[in-house]
Amino acid sequence: MTRRRLHVLYEWGDDLRPHGSAYIRLLRPLSHPAVQGALDVTFGRDDEGQPVDAVIVDRLWRPEMWLGDDAAMARARRLVEAAHARGARFLYALDDNLLEVHGPDAGANPQAAVVDYWLRAADGVLVTTEALRQRFAPLNPRIVVVPNALDERLLPGAVRPTSADDRVVIGYMGTLTHDEDLRMIAPALRTVCARHPGEVELQVVGVVERRETLNALDGLPLRMVSPFPEEGEYPLFIVWLTHRLRWDIALAPLVDTPFNACKSDLKHLDYAAMGAAGVYSRVPSYAGTVRHGETGWLAANDTASWVEALETLIARPALRHALARAAADYLYTERVLARRAGMLIGALEELLA
């Protein structure tokens, strides 16, 4: 049987490197040993017009597409037309509600014009959550959900010992779209740190960009941590994150917005790989997979609930360790590519049938 040929246009940034989400959802799964021989796949920043059965475009593809201007729209149309002109399917891959990155106000989301066009024009769409499928269903009926999974080849493979001293290390990781999430729990962090002077350290990876976020965290026992620049690309970043950092508790607050409502549980997987006990907002993104009190702790989006969660886990190290172990068991038995890579192949076959 002839193998299908695919060309993946991953999303890349100003540094010309693939974004982390492209590695997680496309590059690592489609090059995993578990699916070797199933497809002929090439990856690149541009469409070279090669003969393929499908072109997969990831998110916004190129930095300038975020502008959503006439030039971006013209490029978006040319890409679809070029694929169809040579008999290839055009597939679109998304892991975020890019129609509403900055809320429902269309004027604040210039990229939405490109996303809307590609969703409507696509011969099939790959998404990471059921919420995304429902959000995009009015624009395209051919949508398949493939939940995120991590590449076990990059992970430690077992829960490691946490912080070596007497302090409890509480960590948060997030991109620049998550300032508001971190600010939501800042009062809880301030309360807990005041109750445990010298006993708690906060570590933050990424995220803090806006002045109001820095103000909300001012005076807390906070340490910003980051990899070396050469470790910024996803495969090395996830190795740095899961092998180098030692967090006792890891935080995943998520404000209830149209954008966040479609988010996946990726932080649950990352924190499980780190060996940390995770505290997650009690929202659909996490409530569907995090088992409260077993693989993580779910907290309502109010200060009292987050204080309770943190106080509970600070006071009960045995519970922290149990949550971390159970989360890691869940990750390695259900959410790694050795178990899940075939799901993406099945989804592609369904869309190309």
Side-chain angles (χ1 to χ4, degrees):
M1 181 178 177
T2 303
R3 290 184 294 182
R4 295 189 185 274
R5 298 162 299 173
L6 306 179
H7 184 58
V8 176
L9 295 172
Y10 52 76
E11 187 178 49
W12 49 278
D14 293 330
D15 59 2
L16 305 183
R17 299 189 297 190
H19 284 181
S21 61
Y23 273 111
I24 294 166
R25 296 158 29 252
L26 296 169
L27 276 67
R28 301 297 297 190
L30 290 173
S31 60
H32 194 275
V35 300
Q36 277 189 348
L39 299 166
D40 283 330
V41 185
T42 55
F43 307 96
R45 294 195 302 269
D46 292 299
D47 181 17
E48 305 293 345
Q50 60 267 62
V52 292
D53 296 293
V55 173
I56 303 176
V57 66
D58 178 36
R59 290 172 51 96
L60 266 298
W61 175 31
R62 306 167 62 94
E64 64 267 28
M65 302 303 280
W66 282 90
L67 299 175
D69 55 12
D70 290 344
M73 288 303 303
R75 187 184 288 274
R77 293 189 184 96
R78 287 197 302 270
L79 183 63
V80 175
E81 291 165 1
H84 288 161
R86 64 183 189 269
R89 305 282 184 86
F90 178 81
L91 303 181
Y92 193 28
L94 275 170
D95 63 336
D96 274 323
N97 178 8
L98 296 183
L99 295 174
E100 298 172 308
V101 177
H102 302 290
D105 180 7
N109 293 281
Q111 79 290 335
V114 173
V115 175
D116 182 271
Y117 170 70
W118 276 340
L119 281 168
R120 295 176 187 273
D123 299 298
V125 180
L126 293 165
V127 298
T128 50
T129 69
E130 175 60 21
L132 276 174
R133 189 197 67 77
Q134 293 180 20
R135 174 64 182 87
F136 298 150
L139 305 179
N140 194 313
R142 292 178 54 77
I143 302 178
V144 178
V145 179
V146 181
N148 283 322
L150 299 186
D151 191 337
E152 72 286 347
R153 296 172 295 173
L154 302 174
L155 305 180
V159 175
R160 305 158 305 131
T162 51
S163 53
D165 59 28
D166 292 333
R167 291 175 303 170
V168 175
V169 179
I170 301 174
Y172 177 83
M173 174 186 65
T175 58
L176 296 179
T177 60
H178 289 283
D179 270 56
E180 186 179 6
D181 300 323
L182 187 54
R183 284 200 305 276
M184 178 183 71
I185 64 168
L189 295 175
R190 190 168 296 281
T191 297
V192 168
C193 290
R195 291 178 181 176
H196 302 274
E199 300 174 4
V200 171
E201 177 182 314
L202 305 178
Q203 294 185 4
V204 172
V205 177
V207 77
V208 180
E209 179 185 50
R210 298 177 184 171
R211 172 52 55 185
E212 55 265 40
T213 306
L214 293 171
N215 290 341
L217 300 174
D218 185 51
L220 296 179
L222 174 67
R223 184 159 69 95
M224 304 297 297
V225 291
S226 60
F228 291 112
E230 59 269 23
E231 296 174 309
E233 195 165 355
Y234 178 78
L236 290 179
F237 173 81
I238 194 66
V239 170
W240 170 81
L241 183 78
T242 58
H243 291 72
R244 296 278 297 278
L245 297 188
R246 296 288 190 273
W247 291 354
D248 299 288
I249 302 169
L251 310 178
L254 203 59
V255 175
D256 186 12
T257 67
F259 177 71
N260 283 345
C262 296
K263 280 285 187 182
S264 76
D265 62 348
L266 183 59
K267 278 195 177 63
H268 182 32
L269 309 185
D270 290 335
Y271 292 163
M274 294 178 71
V279 182
Y280 307 90
S281 280
R282 190 182 288 276
V283 295
S285 297
Y286 296 121
T289 53
V290 177
R291 297 190 295 273
H292 178 67
E294 183 179 345
T295 60
W297 196 275
L298 295 169
N301 279 351
D302 59 72
T303 298
S305 296
W306 279 84
V307 168
E308 178 190 12
L310 292 171
E311 289 287 357
T312 299
L313 295 181
I314 289 171
R316 299 174 62 186
L319 175 59
R320 294 199 306 265
H321 299 156
L323 295 181
R325 285 193 299 270
D329 287 344
Y330 167 71
L331 168 66
Y332 287 108
T333 58
E334 298 189 39
R335 300 291 293 278
V336 292
L337 290 181
R339 305 274 185 174
R340 290 286 188 121
M343 190 174 184
L344 176 57
I345 303 302
L348 290 169
E349 291 290 356
E350 178 180 342
L351 293 176
L352 295 174

